Amino acid sequence: MTGGPPERVRVTGPAQRRTPMPPRTAEIDDQTALGSVLMGSLLKAQLRAAALALLPLIGFAGGLPLLFHLAPGLADERLLGVPLPWLALGGLVYPFLFVLGWSYVRRAERNEQDFAELVEIVERP
Amino acid sequence: MNPPDSAPGIVAVVLVAVATLAIGTWGLRFSRTTSDFFVASRSVRPALNASAIGGEYLSAASFLGVAGLVLAFGADMLWYPVGWTAGYLVLLVLVAAPLRRSGAYTLPDFAEARLASPRVRAACSLLVVAIGWLYLLPQFQGAGLTMEAAIGAPRWLGALVVAAVVMVNVLSGGMRSITFVQAFQYWLKLTALLVPALVLLFVWIGDGAPNPADASSAGGAADLWSLPLGSGGSQGLYLTYSLIVATFLGTMGLPHVVVRFYTNPDGRAARRTTVVVLALLGLFYLIPPVYGALGRVYGDADRSNVLVLELPRLMVPGLGGELLAALVTAGAFAAFLSTSSGLSIAVAGVISQDVIGHGRASGVAAFRMATVVAVVVPAVLTLLAPDLGVARAVGLAFAVAASTFCPLLVLGIWWRGLTDVGALAGLAVGFVGSGSGVAYALATRTTTGWAAVLLEQPAAWSVPLAFATMVLVSLATRSRVPVDVRRFMVRLHTPEAVALDRGPRSVR
């Protein structure tokens, strides 16, 4: 167990062979069963958040070319004069990507918040 | 070709160069330590940092290449900007916060910290330099092309000017001052592309808004031009998927992108920065396809690589067109400067740490020596190498990055079982696979038959192959998993706030 706040490191030289940083957490770094469970649950939650962001992306990027490969006639469909592929790839995709990223950040930060609260509860004597 | 009046273009280029140097010098006031030089002392806030990332990332390929490709080949080229943006989403989700929390300066630092292996570090250093130079090459070439189209200067001059300005700027201020320069250049690029685009759209509406999809001037029939797939049936489908894989996964492995993440104060800020980057990139990438589409109505498909520079003059006669062209030229020049600066810093950082750093030179002196090497080598190569086409060369850099650093980062961050031997094997397989595509592209120009298609766009097979190699070899060498891997995982994935709050509280 380390006491006191973690050391602040002032970097004044080039990092050539960095020595590993001192352990920053106690319960977790002692690798107790409890610490392992906490870490495992954090990793699992973060991977789930990642999957929720990546699956729609994979669906979009994997599905769209296949769709137009199988039904090339779709490329001629127009909405207000704009061909469908242009609408999707020239415009709508960007808000889509931003929303995926934004919701991921919210989810990931909430996971970390939960983790921090759990650690605090565990640490309390 | 000498345009009618090159004065506005010359003024624009000089202004951008002077502004860049001025902001860089101003930033120098804040650069004191080696940490300032490498990572701006890790204190750059999300909004500023996101602008800087956008400024650095939007290269010649984005500014000039996309519009020309869209004009020449049609909607399948829209996957380039989509992939360059989606790459940041993948980076955000899989890499951003843990990479920042790893506490390393560069990709080789990360590799060594994770795997405790100097050999993996050396391999990563080589790769950073290779990818960085491969990416610098088209920047310098594009600069030559722009200067030629805009002010009729010989091609070597553009490359020389960009290389010189970059070198002076990086030498004087390092990362701290470059951050300001690049944030400025994002907004400059956005303005320089957006304002002329709006004017051109008004001209187009005044002309009765002829639908670009119906114009028959370039890129084949309307239905082919609108189809978001490469031509040639299943080969086209493969090319499109391969492009998607390379751009979606390559972004995280580009040396100048990764080094930016170390300038965030903490993992949370790294994530928030990336979301802002997604918005900034999405905003920017709405515009180049507009040029491509208008180019189909007004432009000349044979000069598609300088379409963005020439379209204002083609559509707006007289002084107005000249001024708009000058603005676009300024933006293009900013694109070369900022991307080249970022790449030079990343390459110089690695060279100074891993090549020069072992000698007598101290931190800042070593960094300065390394900068000269990092800029001069690709500048000389630019004059010697054949003209690959800006977007194609950049695409190859993405393929190499996706086949090497992407598996290393993703597996290193999320999988405890990665070993040094596995990483080395995967890096080698990915590099040879994607590198053979690079060599092929440099050597030949024919693109018929499956073999040529597979080599031209290698990412779709080289990335999975590199992943598989890393996993299988790591499993076979399970005894070599670093002993402190659990501790490293804790460092990567736990929020900094936990460690900071916890110390005092557990004492009390």
Side-chain angles (χ1 to χ4, degrees), chain B residues 481-501:
Chain B
V481 172
V483 278
D484 57 348
V485 63
R486 278 165 168 278
R487 181 153 294 164
F488 198 73
M489 287 290 166
V490 169
R491 194 205 297 181
L492 290 184
H493 293 285
T494 54
E496 289 88 343
V498 172
L500 289 175
D501 295 347

Side-chain angles (χ1 to χ4, degrees), chain B residues 287-314:
Chain B
I287 317 172
V290 171
Y291 283 83
L294 289 177
R296 198 167 149 87
V297 181
Y298 297 95
D300 179 358
D302 295 332
R303 296 185 56 77
S304 63
N305 54 355
V306 285
L307 169 74
V308 172
L309 299 169
E310 296 190 340
L311 196 61
R313 256 195 228 111
L314 291 172

Side-chain angles (χ1 to χ4, degrees), chain B residues 84-432:
Chain B
W84 289 331
T85 313
Y88 267 97
L89 179 62
V90 180
L91 174 85
L92 163 70
V93 167
L94 293 178
V95 176
L99 186 64
R100 173 60 195 86
R101 286 172 181 151
S102 72
Y105 272 139
T106 62
L107 273 168
D109 278 342
F110 171 82
E112 195 190 17
R114 169 67 178 81
L115 295 165
S117 159
R119 266 191 297 169
V120 180
R121 182 193 178 92
C124 289
S125 302
L126 280 178
L127 277 171
V128 166
V129 175
I131 296 172
W133 281 348
L134 191 61
Y135 209 124
L136 272 169
L137 215 65
Q139 305 304 325
F140 290 162
Q141 278 180 347
L145 209 67
T146 303
M147 296 282 268
E148 188 189 45
I151 59 178
R155 284 203 183 175
W156 55 266
L157 187 69
L160 198 72
V161 170
V162 168
V165 175
V166 166
M167 198 141 75
V168 170
N169 230 15
V170 177
L171 281 179
S172 61
M175 193 59 141
R176 189 60 169 266
S177 73
I178 284 294
T179 300
F180 294 111
V181 171
Q182 283 170 343
F184 160 72
Q185 275 166 347
Y186 170 81
W187 296 102
L188 174 64
K189 273 181 262 189
L190 185 68
T191 314
L193 208 56
L194 181 62
V195 171
L198 291 178
V199 174
L200 298 184
L201 279 176
F202 274 115
V203 173
W204 172 69
I205 291 169
D207 287 351
N211 196 328
D214 294 331
S216 55
S217 62
D223 55 339
L224 253 182
W225 192 66
S226 300
L227 195 66
L229 287 174
S231 56
S234 53
Q235 287 183 5
L237 189 65
Y238 167 83
L239 283 174
T240 304
Y241 275 130
S242 203
L243 176 77
I244 290 173
V245 171
T247 50
F248 279 37
L249 300 179
T251 303
M252 71 173 74
L254 294 177
H256 65 307
V257 168
V258 165
V259 88
R260 272 261 151 233
F261 276 84
Y262 302 115
T263 60
N264 285 297
D266 56 26
R268 209 170 104 111
R271 275 202 208 104
R272 295 189 164 197
T273 299
T274 317
V275 176
V276 182
V277 171
L278 278 178
L280 294 179
L281 292 183
L283 189 64
F284 182 89
Y285 281 133
L286 290 175
I287 317 172
V290 171
Y291 283 83
L294 289 177
R296 198 167 149 87
V297 181
Y298 297 95
D300 179 358
D302 295 332
R303 296 185 56 77
S304 63
N305 54 355
V306 285
L307 169 74
V308 172
L309 299 169
E310 296 190 340
L311 196 61
R313 256 195 228 111
L314 291 172
M315 287 179 67
V316 184
L319 182 66
E322 293 296 330
L323 289 178
L324 289 180
L327 187 57
V328 177
T329 306
F333 204 65
F336 304 123
L337 284 182
S338 53
T339 303
S340 320
S341 301
L343 285 163
S344 304
I345 287 203
V347 173
V350 166
I351 294 181
S352 75
Q353 285 187 37
D354 289 314
V355 184
I356 304 175
H358 297 311
R360 284 151 299 169
S362 68
V364 172
F367 184 78
R368 289 187 162 147
M369 277 160 67
T371 304
V372 175
V373 178
V375 175
V376 166
V377 171
V380 170
L381 282 178
T382 305
L383 305 177
L384 304 176
D387 191 355
L388 270 182
V390 169
R392 194 168 173 210
V394 165
L396 288 170
F398 270 89
V400 175
S403 311
T404 52
F405 284 130
C406 169
L408 180 72
L409 283 169
V410 171
L411 292 176
I413 287 171
W414 295 101
W415 186 47
R416 285 188 198 132
L418 185 69
T419 66
D420 53 348
V421 180
L424 273 178
L427 289 176
V429 166
F431 182 71
V432 170

